[in-house]
């Protein structure tokens, strides 16, 4: 697969492009993102799906500029897909041939089921693992559904429910009851949903709703991907959107002006879905069809799944920021060993072992930016770039451990700021932080391989080495530990 790939997604409402760059076999990151609200489907649903000249010209112009942008990034492969508006249009060939002949771009019009699959495999691979979940992707012309169980995607379905479609057919005519009846009739086509507990929201409508809830609830981590909340909060917010009398009221609900005319149709679809299915949890996806198209190309030889226990964001940070990966591996190994020896003594749940290991592995990342402010930069890199496969709680704990490693324990101010996302018991955070700091101190002499052994007994970690480990001993003495009975001793 090419190192840099551009993906273009022509939707009913917007045309979007992302440019991804690989850093190693399965690791990648976003280089650039572009969006243009061309609304190619404008007035199409009033004319039996026929695309109109002005919207087609807007889309053509946007694609022309997107190709120029992709070329500026030296993208070696460009994949372009089109969804509902072109899929339904009787005159789609006119547009497809014009783009092919004048721009040299091949547009692949994908089926609704394929669109649902692309969105779902992006969620299955790039969100924390979910059991019994339903992905829902509300577009301008259609809504796609898929069942997700762990990494498996089944029951893909596309319904003719879209924000622009409903706006032109019902909302522009003040026919709310007609819209409700139409939505409910389409939703009856869904297979059995009684086992589902979680909705995973994809697409612009869902992101707009989740972004507003994130702001209203003063969520401490400014990250939309994997933002989760309960169904009661979701239902209450949808109700308030649908009751909003004008654009001023929508603004107070944190809806952006480019969503004013389509947010209510989208909210109504979601409200009717929630009425039909007894959902408990809501998870926001920052990925969708574009990422699914990219992953289906990247993972084509592995059944559209990453290898077991592989995380693309961790690997990207290691590839891009960690210069001494031998030290990174040693630090992760040592942190695990100390955790295993002392977790019972500190009374720490074993579920934190993996997160501590990742924090240790990524700890050196910030030194590639600036040595003297390494912890600050590692903290920022993790909060920003540890994007895929982690909950907000995971990201916050991992970044916190790296920010306060080496000498001091997490401050009370920090713990209060992120109280919603960090473990309730501060003792757990302090203990994990101390283990990471101790691991860093024990490797102060930077051995090629760990050159000492350890035993733990009655609150004492005994270090055995044939060397004096002079620098290492002084580094451990500087550490802050809340447990006054815990000791580290060196035996040469």
């Amino acid at each position: 697969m090419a190192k840099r790939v551009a993906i273009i997604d022509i939707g009913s409402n917007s045309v979007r492009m992302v440019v991804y760059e690989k850093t190693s076999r399965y690791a990648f990151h976003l280089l650039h993102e572009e969006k243009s609200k061309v609304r190619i489907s404008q007035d199409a649903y009033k004319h039996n799906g026929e695309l109109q000249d002005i919207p087609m010209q807007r889309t053509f112009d946007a694609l022309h500029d997107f190709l120029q942008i992709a070329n500026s990034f030296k993208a070696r492969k460009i994949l372009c897909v089109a969804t509902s508006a072109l899929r339904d249009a009787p005159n789609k060939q006119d547009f497809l041939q014009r783009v092919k002949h004048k721009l040299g771009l091949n547009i692949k019009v994908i089926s609704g089921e394929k669109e649902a699959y692309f969105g779902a495999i992006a969620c299955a691979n790039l969100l924390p693992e979910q059991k019994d979940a339903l992905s829902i992707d509300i577009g301008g012309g259609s809504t796609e559904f898929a069942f997700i169980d762990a990494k498996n995607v089944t029951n893909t379905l596309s319904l003719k429910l879209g924000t622009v479609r409903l706006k032109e057919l019902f909302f522009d005519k003040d026919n709310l009851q007609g819209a409700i009846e139409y939505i409910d009739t389409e939703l009856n086509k869904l297979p059995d949903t009684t086992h589902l507990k979680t909705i995973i929201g994809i697409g612009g409508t869902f992101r707009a709703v989740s972004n507003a809830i994130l702001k209203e609830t003063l969520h401490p981590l400014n990250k939309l991907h994997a933002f989760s909340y309960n169904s009661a909060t979701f239902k209450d917010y949808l109700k308030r959107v649908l009751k909003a009398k004008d654009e001023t009221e929508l603004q107070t609900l944190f809806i952006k002006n480019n969503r004013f005319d389509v947010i209510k149709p989208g909210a109504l679809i979601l409200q009717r879905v929630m009425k039909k299915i007894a959902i408990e949890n809501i998870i926001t996806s920052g990925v969708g069809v574009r990422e699914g198209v990219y992953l289906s190309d990247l993972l084509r030889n592995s059944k559209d799944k990453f290898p077991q226990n592989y995380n693309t964001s961790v690997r990207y940070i290691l590839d891009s920021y960690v210069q001494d990966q031998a030290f990174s591996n040693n630090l992760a190994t040592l942190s695990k060993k100390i955790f295993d020896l002392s977790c019972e003594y500190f009374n720490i749940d074993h579920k934190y072992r993996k997160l501590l290991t990742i924090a240790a592995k990524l700890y050196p990342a910030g030194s590639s930016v600036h040595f003297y402010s390494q912890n600050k930069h590692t903290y920022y890199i993790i909060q920003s770039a540890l994007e895929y496969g982690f909950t907000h709680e995971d990201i916050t704990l991992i970044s916190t451990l790296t920010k306060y490693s080496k000498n001091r324990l997490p401050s009370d101010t920090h713990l209060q700021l992120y109280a919603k996302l960090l473990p309730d018991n501060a003792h757990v955070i302090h203990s994990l932080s101390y283990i990471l700091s101790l691991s860093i101190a024990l490797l102060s002499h930077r051995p090629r391989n760990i050159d000492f052994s350890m035993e733990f007994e009655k609150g004492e970690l005994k270090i055995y080495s044939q060397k004096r480990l002079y620098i290492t001993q002084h580094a451990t003495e500087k550490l802050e530990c809340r447990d006054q009975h815990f000791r580290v001793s060196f035996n040469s």
Side-chain angles (χ1 to χ4, degrees):
M1 184 179 183
K3 185 175 182 180
R4 290 185 177 181
V5 177
I7 312 291
I8 299 173
D9 171 15
I10 304 174
S12 301
N13 194 41
S14 301
V15 178
R16 298 173 182 266
M17 181 180 71
V18 289
V19 180
Y20 285 116
E21 179 179 55
K22 285 177 61 176
T23 57
S24 55
R25 185 175 181 185
Y26 293 122
F28 64 93
H29 68 117
L30 179 67
L31 269 182
H32 187 77
E33 184 174 28
E34 200 68 49
K35 172 188 173 182
S36 179
K37 187 179 174 181
V38 297
R39 193 162 286 182
I40 191 173
S41 64
Q42 186 176 26
D43 295 330
Y45 302 113
K46 298 175 181 177
H47 296 88
N48 299 316
E50 289 268 355
L51 299 176
Q52 304 300 296
D53 290 340
I54 293 176
M56 280 196 287
Q57 184 61 49
R58 287 197 301 260
T59 308
F60 180 89
D61 292 340
L63 290 174
H64 174 275
D65 291 350
F66 279 13
L67 291 176
Q68 183 171 318
I69 293 168
N71 289 332
S72 76
F73 283 96
K74 297 182 172 57
R76 299 305 180 196
K77 181 185 286 189
I78 298 176
L79 303 174
C80 181
V81 297
T83 55
S84 176
L86 279 168
R87 188 164 61 231
D88 297 341
N91 61 334
K92 62 178 174 248
Q93 286 301 325
D94 295 341
F95 181 76
L96 295 175
Q97 291 301 316
R98 182 186 175 200
V99 170
K100 182 176 181 179
H101 290 146
K102 294 194 174 182
L103 299 181
L105 178 65
N106 288 310
I107 300 173
K108 184 176 182 179
V109 180
I110 57 176
S111 68
E113 290 70 28
K114 195 68 174 178
E115 183 181 356
Y117 177 75
F118 281 142
I121 65 165
C123 293
N125 280 290
L126 301 177
L127 278 169
E129 189 171 295
Q130 302 298 323
K131 299 284 187 182
D132 298 326
L134 176 72
S135 66
I136 175 170
D137 184 359
I138 300 176
S142 63
T143 296
E144 280 63 48
F145 299 87
F147 288 11
I148 299 175
D149 188 33
K151 302 298 181 185
N152 301 310
V153 175
T154 57
N155 291 342
T156 56
L157 179 69
S158 179
L159 301 180
K160 292 185 181 299
L161 293 173
T163 57
V164 179
R165 186 190 296 268
L166 289 177
K167 172 186 177 297
E168 294 187 1
L169 295 180
F170 299 102
F171 279 76
D172 287 351
K173 301 173 183 177
D174 293 323
N175 185 6
L176 180 62
Q177 187 58 40
I180 291 172
E181 292 172 2
Y182 178 82
I183 293 169
D184 289 349
T185 300
E186 285 292 296
L187 291 178
N188 284 335
K189 298 174 184 177
L190 281 170
D192 178 41
T193 58
T194 53
H195 63 292
L196 297 173
K197 301 297 182 187
T198 300
I199 274 185
I200 300 174
I202 307 171
T205 292
F206 213 105
R207 285 195 295 270
V209 169
S210 286
N211 186 57
I213 292 173
L214 183 145
K215 291 178 179 178
E216 278 196 343
T217 57
L218 302 177
H219 189 69
L221 187 62
N222 186 25
K223 186 185 287 284
L224 204 54
H225 185 65
F227 172 51
S228 61
Y229 47 96
N230 60 49
S231 61
T233 299
F234 190 51
K235 290 176 181 177
D236 174 70
Y237 183 80
L238 295 176
K239 184 187 298 183
R240 286 187 285 136
V241 167
L242 291 169
K243 283 186 175 180
K245 296 176 182 178
D246 51 34
E247 294 181 354
T248 301
E249 289 191 15
L250 287 175
Q251 278 184 323
T252 65
L253 293 172
F254 297 100
I255 297 298
K256 296 179 181 178
N257 57 9
N258 64 344
R259 284 269 157 198
F260 284 163
D261 61 339
V262 291
I263 192 62
K264 286 194 173 185
L268 185 62
I269 293 171
L270 290 171
Q271 188 182 66
R272 303 312 292 179
V273 168
M274 294 300 290
K275 184 176 178 63
K276 182 178 178 64
I277 310 172
I279 291 297
E280 298 174 3
N281 307 307
I282 313 296
I283 297 178
T284 313
S285 174
V287 298
V289 171
R290 293 173 298 287
E291 289 77 12
V293 172
Y294 180 75
L295 290 176
S296 69
D297 194 33
L298 178 71
L299 305 174
R300 60 185 178 277
N301 296 321
S302 57
K303 298 181 179 179
D304 293 346
K305 298 176 183 178
F306 285 111
Q308 192 73 18
N309 298 320
Y310 180 90
N311 183 275
T312 186
S313 288
V314 171
R315 187 69 254 172
Y316 159 66
I317 294 173
L318 290 171
D319 289 343
S320 302
Y321 297 101
V322 177
Q323 297 171 352
D324 187 349
Q325 297 204 8
F327 175 72
S328 168
N329 291 333
N330 283 341
L331 191 55
T333 299
L334 185 57
S335 295
K336 279 190 289 188
K337 287 182 178 179
I338 297 176
F339 181 94
D340 292 340
L341 289 170
S342 64
C343 63
E344 187 174 340
Y345 172 84
F346 283 122
N347 193 25
I348 314 174
D349 195 301
H350 205 265
K351 67 182 181 181
Y352 294 114
R353 183 178 189 261
K354 181 180 179 182
L355 301 181
L356 172 66
T357 304
I358 293 170
K361 190 178 283 286
L362 299 182
Y363 166 75
S367 63
S368 65
V369 181
H370 191 264
F371 175 79
Y372 290 112
S373 51
Q374 172 180 325
N375 287 27
K376 179 179 73 173
H377 291 301
T378 299
Y379 174 75
Y380 176 77
I381 289 168
I382 290 173
Q383 282 214 333
S384 302
L386 198 63
E387 187 77 18
Y388 300 135
F390 293 95
T391 66
H392 283 198
E393 290 80 2
D394 293 339
I395 295 167
T396 303
L397 181 57
I398 292 169
S399 60
T400 295
L401 294 180
T402 60
K403 181 177 183 178
Y404 290 96
S405 56
K406 203 168 184 179
N407 292 318
R408 56 198 175 117
L409 294 174
S411 69
D412 291 340
T413 302
H414 181 89
L415 297 183
Q416 291 168 8
L417 177 62
Y418 290 100
K420 288 183 180 180
L421 300 176
L422 288 169
D424 292 336
N425 190 345
H427 166 75
V428 171
I429 307 169
H430 290 147
S431 300
L432 291 169
S433 180
Y434 177 73
I435 292 173
L436 178 55
S437 296
L438 178 58
S439 302
I440 296 167
L442 290 173
L443 293 176
S444 295
H445 60 303
R446 307 283 290 203
R448 183 176 296 274
N449 297 297
I450 298 173
D451 55 0
F452 52 85
S453 60
M454 298 179 295
E455 289 181 0
F456 187 75
E457 184 179 5
K458 296 180 180 179
E460 182 180 5
L461 182 67
K462 300 177 181 179
I463 310 297
Y464 296 95
S465 175
Q466 296 179 348
K467 303 175 183 178
R468 284 196 62 192
L469 302 179
Y470 176 80
I471 294 176
T472 296
Q473 290 187 51
H474 277 276
T476 60
E477 291 170 1
K478 297 178 182 178
L479 299 179
E480 181 184 0
C481 181
R482 291 288 173 91
D483 191 315
Q484 301 299 319
H485 302 290
F486 184 89
R487 290 185 299 129
V488 180
S489 63
F490 289 83
N491 303 274
S492 300

